[in-house]
Amino acid sequence: MTDYIPELSELRMVRRAPDGPLPFSKEDKSYVVACFKDVEASFGVSGCAEAAAGEGSARALIKQLIEWWRTLGPETQDQRDAYGRMPGAIRLIDTVATWVEEQDARRRGKADAT
């Protein structure tokens, strides 16, 4: 693993994600958990697979995936496969976090209007 300086877009994704869980569909949750497990198994690293499977912090999940994406260098086919799925999991977490943020803003807007 190498050191890196996070990009502004990465910092924003991490900040946007809540400290608590996100309302993933069953399929989305399975995708994120599988991504973590595959990266952990193929690279021999430990991360947040248990948190991804439970009620862990979405912020911790996306931060870990971004860090791995930017610092791990795949060498084997298993590593390339796991590495290639990380951007999808990152985007999925960010998309759901953005949706939750928008829903909260709409609810606040309706409450302010009454």
Side-chain angles (χ1 to χ4, degrees):
M1 288 183 28
T2 60
D3 290 332
Y4 83 102
I5 297 171
E7 295 179 4
L8 180 59
S9 62
E10 294 166 344
L11 294 172
R12 285 182 175 158
M13 282 190 275
V14 170
R15 274 190 233 128
R16 181 174 24 252
D19 278 327
L22 286 170
F24 289 121
S25 69
K26 184 178 178 181
E27 294 81 13
D28 289 348
K29 186 182 223 178
S30 294
Y31 183 84
V32 172
V33 170
C35 181
F36 269 93
K37 287 182 177 180
D38 289 348
V39 172
E40 289 176 349
S42 64
F43 284 93
V45 295
S46 62
C48 306
E50 296 83 22
E55 297 297 310
S57 166
R59 185 170 293 162
L61 297 177
I62 197 166
K63 184 176 184 203
Q64 182 65 75
L65 285 171
I66 290 169
E67 182 180 318
W68 281 342
W69 172 252
R70 301 274 277 142
T71 61
L72 294 175
E75 295 176 6
T76 68
Q77 187 59 47
D78 285 343
Q79 288 176 345
R80 285 189 286 278
D81 290 344
Y83 186 84
R85 283 191 298 277
M86 279 193 277
I90 291 167
R91 282 192 288 282
L92 177 59
I93 294 168
D94 187 51
T95 298
V96 175
T98 300
W99 179 79
V100 167
E101 187 177 64
E102 290 171 354
Q103 295 300 311
D104 289 345
R106 284 188 185 127
R107 278 189 218 104
R108 282 192 306 273
K110 287 181 182 178
D112 292 344
T114 57

